[in-house]
mmCIF file of all heavy atoms in Angstrom:
data_model
loop_
_atom_site.group_PDB
_atom_site.id
_atom_site.type_symbol
_atom_site.label_atom_id
_atom_site.label_comp_id
_atom_site.label_asym_id
_atom_site.label_seq_id
_atom_site.Cartn_x
_atom_site.Cartn_y
_atom_site.Cartn_z
ATOM 1 N N LEU A 185 83.509 -72.110 205.696
ATOM 2 C CA LEU A 185 84.768 -72.497 204.898
ATOM 3 C C LEU A 185 84.391 -73.471 203.731
ATOM 4 O O LEU A 185 84.848 -73.281 202.642
ATOM 5 C CB LEU A 185 85.820 -73.117 205.795
ATOM 6 C CG LEU A 185 86.581 -72.183 206.750
ATOM 7 C CD1 LEU A 185 87.468 -72.900 207.644
ATOM 8 C CD2 LEU A 185 87.330 -71.120 205.895
ATOM 9 N N MET A 190 83.504 -73.955 197.742
ATOM 10 C CA MET A 190 82.706 -74.430 196.608
ATOM 11 C C MET A 190 82.412 -73.309 195.640
ATOM 12 O O MET A 190 81.853 -73.499 194.622
ATOM 13 C CB MET A 190 81.378 -75.000 197.073
ATOM 14 C CG MET A 190 81.659 -76.285 197.942
ATOM 15 S SD MET A 190 80.149 -76.942 198.788
ATOM 16 C CE MET A 190 79.038 -77.185 197.482
ATOM 17 N N ALA A 206 103.431 -74.336 200.782
ATOM 18 C CA ALA A 206 103.841 -75.439 201.718
ATOM 19 C C ALA A 206 105.388 -75.527 201.672
ATOM 20 O O ALA A 206 105.991 -75.768 202.724
ATOM 21 C CB ALA A 206 103.259 -76.795 201.302
ATOM 22 N N THR A 228 110.759 -82.806 188.793
ATOM 23 C CA THR A 228 109.868 -82.595 189.955
ATOM 24 C C THR A 228 109.385 -81.117 190.064
ATOM 25 O O THR A 228 108.217 -80.850 190.215
ATOM 26 C CB THR A 228 110.451 -83.045 191.289
ATOM 27 O OG1 THR A 228 110.792 -84.421 191.108
ATOM 28 C CG2 THR A 228 109.515 -82.881 192.424
ATOM 29 N N VAL A 257 95.908 -83.528 194.822
ATOM 30 C CA VAL A 257 96.739 -84.798 194.444
ATOM 31 C C VAL A 257 96.184 -85.266 193.173
ATOM 32 O O VAL A 257 96.961 -85.574 192.208
ATOM 33 C CB VAL A 257 96.763 -85.807 195.546
ATOM 34 C CG1 VAL A 257 97.377 -87.152 195.085
ATOM 35 C CG2 VAL A 257 97.475 -85.325 196.741
ATOM 36 N N GLY A 267 103.620 -74.776 178.826
ATOM 37 C CA GLY A 267 103.993 -73.515 178.300
ATOM 38 C C GLY A 267 103.173 -72.367 178.687
ATOM 39 O O GLY A 267 102.959 -71.446 177.920
ATOM 40 N N THR A 275 108.205 -61.428 181.475
ATOM 41 C CA THR A 275 108.647 -60.262 182.120
ATOM 42 C C THR A 275 109.571 -60.470 183.307
ATOM 43 O O THR A 275 110.243 -59.578 183.773
ATOM 44 C CB THR A 275 107.384 -59.459 182.593
ATOM 45 O OG1 THR A 275 106.593 -60.247 183.454
ATOM 46 C CG2 THR A 275 106.587 -58.993 181.452
ATOM 47 N N LEU A 278 114.776 -63.496 185.092
ATOM 48 C CA LEU A 278 115.436 -64.760 184.790
ATOM 49 C C LEU A 278 114.862 -65.506 183.619
ATOM 50 O O LEU A 278 115.593 -65.981 182.803
ATOM 51 C CB LEU A 278 115.468 -65.602 186.075
ATOM 52 C CG LEU A 278 116.236 -66.878 185.824
ATOM 53 C CD1 LEU A 278 117.607 -66.754 186.453
ATOM 54 C CD2 LEU A 278 115.507 -68.048 186.396
ATOM 55 N N ARG A 281 115.799 -64.008 180.274
ATOM 56 C CA ARG A 281 117.128 -64.352 179.825
ATOM 57 C C ARG A 281 117.098 -65.562 178.935
ATOM 58 O O ARG A 281 117.859 -65.661 177.935
ATOM 59 C CB ARG A 281 118.124 -64.444 180.941
ATOM 60 C CG ARG A 281 118.440 -63.213 181.710
ATOM 61 C CD ARG A 281 118.999 -62.070 180.749
ATOM 62 N NE ARG A 281 118.885 -60.787 181.321
ATOM 63 C CZ ARG A 281 118.120 -59.826 181.026
ATOM 64 N NH1 ARG A 281 117.207 -60.068 180.051
ATOM 65 N NH2 ARG A 281 118.108 -58.611 181.548
ATOM 66 N N VAL A 286 117.340 -67.667 173.405
ATOM 67 C CA VAL A 286 116.769 -68.265 172.182
ATOM 68 C C VAL A 286 116.649 -67.317 171.108
ATOM 69 O O VAL A 286 116.919 -67.602 169.884
ATOM 70 C CB VAL A 286 115.358 -68.945 172.520
ATOM 71 C CG1 VAL A 286 114.683 -69.428 171.235
ATOM 72 C CG2 VAL A 286 115.575 -70.124 173.444
ATOM 73 N N TYR A 289 120.459 -66.825 170.048
ATOM 74 C CA TYR A 289 121.227 -68.105 169.619
ATOM 75 C C TYR A 289 120.264 -69.125 168.977
ATOM 76 O O TYR A 289 120.821 -70.189 168.564
ATOM 77 C CB TYR A 289 121.910 -68.776 170.791
ATOM 78 C CG TYR A 289 123.064 -67.923 171.349
ATOM 79 C CD1 TYR A 289 122.943 -67.229 172.496
ATOM 80 C CD2 TYR A 289 124.244 -67.876 170.692
ATOM 81 C CE1 TYR A 289 123.972 -66.409 172.915
ATOM 82 C CE2 TYR A 289 125.381 -67.151 171.042
ATOM 83 C CZ TYR A 289 125.156 -66.344 172.257
ATOM 84 O OH TYR A 289 126.228 -65.637 172.661
ATOM 85 N N THR A 292 121.404 -70.196 165.576
ATOM 86 C CA THR A 292 122.634 -70.871 165.761
ATOM 87 C C THR A 292 122.380 -72.375 166.171
ATOM 88 O O THR A 292 122.879 -73.298 165.590
ATOM 89 C CB THR A 292 123.570 -70.259 166.710
ATOM 90 O OG1 THR A 292 123.840 -68.864 166.352
ATOM 91 C CG2 THR A 292 124.933 -70.948 166.915
#
Side-chain angles (χ1 to χ4, degrees):
L185 287 173
M190 294 171 61
T228 301
V257 170
T275 56
L278 183 97
R281 292 300 165 253
V286 171
Y289 292 103
T292 302

